[in-house]
Amino acid sequence: SCDQMELLAYRGDQKFKYMSLKYFGEPDEDDLKLARYLLSLPSREFDQELIPSEDSIEFIKKEISQYGFNGSVELVRNIPSHALFLPSRNLLRVKSGEQFSEKFVNGLCHHEIGVHMLTTENAKRQSLRVFENGLPLNTLTQEGVAIVSEYYSGSLSIDRLKELALRVVTVSHMLKNYDFKETFSYLVERYGVDTTKAYYLTARIYRGGGFTKDYLYLRGFRKILELVKNDVDISPLLIGKTSVEYFGEIKELIERGILSPPKYITRSLIEKSNKDDEILNYILSEL
């Protein structure tokens, strides 16, 4: 879109932040209230055997083969996050030299393969190419569905929810015109984030000159989870890089035969294997 092209054009310029606000918006008081609630929860992570990222590749390849996708996965060193999906190449990059819990790897499979790669595959089968490039603000829907997929696969943890909440408060802090060092210190001192994690989180938000996108993960999760819990069939959102804002129109176009129903459906949304986690279910009932 024109907005995204402008974002690229203004990287490193002070206008970048304002273009980011124009395209992605900013957290509102509801977003911040939810983030603070999640950050107030006690952690309950258990010691888990860690898997080297080199070994996690086999789990991911198995998930790709279960769906029958043509996607691929590779290990790389030079990415700031644990994993990065490239839709144009249908490629998942995983950071080498890391160690992941089995729960994290399971969540990674259901997030990256079960949603991002899946919607890329479904989009190729549509007559309208717009679903490959993405509808406006598809980030909220894509990431919302992806985190709901983590939840229903039994992979979502309180620490993962806190990570999403930290992105919201970090974006909010950045928008108050604090510099990188001040926001980094805020995360360490106010929320007890370890310095390495605080550095990478601050870098995510300050890249390009101030990138607001990351608050949408938590908002999207809340919005999509509400639909699923109200027994809404969200499979029309899986036809490509869609936006929940156009949910009604997408459903109608499928019903009229103009769009194809999704060939692939996210496995975790069918199986819903998380039902035994009463504590997490209670926490999320408060959303």
Side-chain angles (χ1 to χ4, degrees):
S1 72
C2 292
D3 288 336
Q4 288 172 305
M5 293 299 291
E6 285 180 307
L7 271 171
L8 285 170
Y10 287 120
R11 278 182 305 170
D13 189 288
Q14 66 182 99
K15 290 180 182 176
F16 180 91
K17 179 163 68 176
Y18 301 104
M19 291 308 307
S20 178
L21 282 166
K22 178 183 171 184
Y23 186 67
F24 296 109
E26 62 182 307
D28 61 22
E29 195 49 47
D30 282 345
D31 296 317
L32 288 164
K33 186 178 178 182
L34 174 56
R36 293 184 193 116
Y37 161 66
L38 293 172
L39 289 167
S40 72
L41 297 171
S43 178
R44 60 167 193 141
E45 297 311 296
F46 309 105
D47 289 336
Q48 298 180 57
E49 186 178 341
L50 296 177
I51 304 165
S53 54
E54 288 72 15
D55 295 341
S56 71
I57 294 295
E58 294 311 310
F59 289 91
I60 298 166
K61 284 180 178 176
K62 185 180 176 184
E63 190 70 16
I64 293 172
S65 66
Q66 276 194 289
Y67 280 107
F69 296 158
N70 293 318
S72 55
V73 57
E74 68 178 17
L75 281 166
V76 293
R77 287 196 172 274
N78 59 340
I79 54 172
S81 55
H82 293 311
L84 177 68
F85 179 63
L86 303 176
S88 60
R89 295 170 58 187
N90 218 14
L91 169 68
L92 178 64
R93 287 180 165 162
V94 177
K95 192 168 187 175
S96 62
E98 299 283 307
Q99 289 197 313
F100 305 136
S101 69
E102 189 174 331
K103 191 170 189 175
F104 177 86
V105 176
N106 190 50
L108 187 66
C109 286
H110 287 284
H111 182 117
E112 301 290 351
I113 309 306
V115 176
H116 293 328
M117 191 175 285
L118 180 141
T119 53
T120 299
E121 288 284 334
N122 282 337
K124 291 175 185 174
R125 291 162 173 81
Q126 296 301 328
S127 55
L128 299 178
R129 299 269 66 87
V130 68
F131 294 102
E132 287 188 66
N133 296 325
L135 296 180
L137 207 59
N138 65 84
T139 299
L140 181 146
T141 303
Q142 275 282 295
E143 301 304 343
V145 174
I147 296 156
V148 166
S149 178
E150 290 181 45
Y151 170 56
Y152 280 112
S153 72
S155 308
L156 191 64
S157 65
I158 292 175
D159 277 4
R160 171 66 164 153
L161 286 171
K162 287 187 171 192
E163 178 189 325
L164 303 179
L166 282 169
R167 292 179 186 180
V168 176
V169 298
T170 307
V171 169
S172 178
H173 203 258
M174 178 269 291
L175 289 172
K176 292 173 183 170
N177 292 320
Y178 290 104
D179 64 22
F180 186 104
K181 183 180 176 182
E182 288 169 318
T183 297
F184 167 83
S185 299
Y186 172 72
L187 293 176
V188 173
E189 293 164 15
R190 173 68 179 81
Y191 293 107
V193 182
D194 76 69
T195 52
T196 301
K197 186 175 177 181
Y199 176 83
Y200 280 114
L201 180 53
T202 309
R204 277 185 71 109
I205 307 304
Y206 279 77
R207 58 187 157 161
F211 202 31
T212 65
K213 183 186 91 163
D214 277 358
Y215 84 92
L216 288 170
Y217 285 65
L218 189 57
R219 183 185 284 185
F221 173 55
R222 184 185 211 170
K223 191 175 282 274
I224 301 299
L225 185 63
E226 183 181 6
L227 290 175
V228 177
K229 283 187 173 290
N230 286 322
D231 296 321
V232 175
D233 174 15
I234 65 164
S235 62
L237 295 175
L238 301 176
I239 66 166
K241 309 303 178 186
T242 61
S243 173
V244 71
E245 187 179 342
Y246 301 102
F247 188 41
E249 289 85 346
I250 293 166
K251 278 178 65 179
E252 184 182 342
L253 289 170
I254 292 173
E255 287 163 6
R256 290 169 60 184
I258 296 168
L259 295 175
S260 305
K263 177 178 180 181
Y264 302 105
I265 304 291
T266 303
R267 199 159 60 85
S268 61
L269 295 177
I270 299 168
E271 296 170 1
K272 293 188 178 177
S273 58
N274 69 324
K275 292 175 183 173
D276 296 333
D277 194 338
E278 292 179 7
I279 294 174
L280 188 60
N281 291 340
Y282 173 75
I283 288 167
L284 295 180
S285 73
E286 296 297 301
L287 298 194

